[in-house]
Amino acid sequence: MISIVIIGDGNVAKHLVNAFLKVDTINVTQINSRKLENIPEADITILAVSDAAIAEVSSKIKNSFVVHTSGSFSMDDLKNTTNKGVFYMLQTFSKDKEVDFSKVPFCLEAQNEEDYLLLEKLANSIGKKTYAINSEQRKAIHVAAVFVNNFTNHLYKIGNDICIENKVPFEILHPLIDETAQKIKTLSPKKAQTGPAVRNDEKTIENHLHLLNNEQQKIYTILTKSITDSLK
C-alpha cells in the first residue's frame, strides 16, 4: 500500500484523486493548498498547485518525500527540507473531460533511486508510460508542448473564427485535423508538411492574406516564413 497526500484542488489534483481512488493499493488524501495544518504522514506528498505557489507551499511541508507536478519548474524549486522529486504528466487537463491515464506519459525525477522507483510504482498504478526526465529536459518538453498544444489550439481558434465569419461550419475541418495528427505518428513533421508555403505558391499566399484581418495576416506571414526557412 502506498499512501499519498495530494495538495491542491485544481484540474490536475481532481483527476489524480479520482484515478487513485480506483486503485486498491493506493491510499489517497486530498488537501486544499490554503489549509495546510495537520497534514497527514504519507509516503509521497504531491503538490498539484500553481507554479507560483510551489515554493511557498512546499516550504510548509514536513513529510519525507515531496514532489510537484509542474512541467516548467525545477525539482530544486521545491523548498521542503526533505527528499524532493517531480511527478509531471505530459497531458492537457480539462475540468469536465475524463483523462485516460494509460495514455499519459509520466515524466519522473527524484534525488535517489529508491524514491524514483516509488514514483514509478505510483505512476504504473494508473498509467503505462513512465520516463526518467531531468529538470532541464522537462523544461524543454514543456516548451515543445506549448507549441504542439497551446499554440496549435489557438490556430484552431483562428480557423474557427474564419469559418464563423464566412458562415462555414468548423466541423468541416475536423477530418483534416484528425489526419494531420495521425500523419505525424508515421512521418516526421517536416516530411508531413504540405501547403502553399512548401510549394512556394505565392499567388495562393497572396490570396489568403487578402482574406484575413491584420492580426491574422501577421500570424500567417510569420508561420509561412518559418515553413519556407525550414526547407532551406
Side-chain angles (χ1 to χ4, degrees), residues 27-112:
N27 180 15
V28 58
T29 302
Q30 183 179 13
I31 296 176
N32 189 299
S33 60
R34 291 178 292 277
K35 299 176 181 178
L36 297 179
E37 301 87 5
N38 302 317
I39 298 174
E41 289 289 327
D43 296 315
I44 307 172
T45 301
I46 301 175
L47 303 189
V49 298
S50 68
D51 289 355
I54 288 174
E56 180 183 358
V57 174
S58 62
S59 68
K60 300 176 182 178
I61 308 301
K62 307 303 180 184
N63 282 354
S64 59
F65 185 29
V66 180
V67 303
H68 68 63
T69 59
S70 171
S72 58
F73 271 47
S74 166
M75 178 170 63
D76 293 332
D77 287 310
L78 288 163
K79 300 307 177 185
N80 57 298
T81 58
T82 53
N83 289 358
K84 305 174 183 181
V86 178
F87 193 75
Y88 172 57
M89 294 142 289
L90 185 55
Q91 187 53 278
T92 176
F93 293 90
S94 300
K95 181 178 179 180
D96 298 319
K97 189 177 188 304
E98 187 174 354
V99 177
D100 182 356
F101 280 102
S102 68
K103 297 179 180 179
V104 174
F106 288 80
C107 301
L108 310 177
E109 185 179 14
Q111 292 175 308
N112 60 66

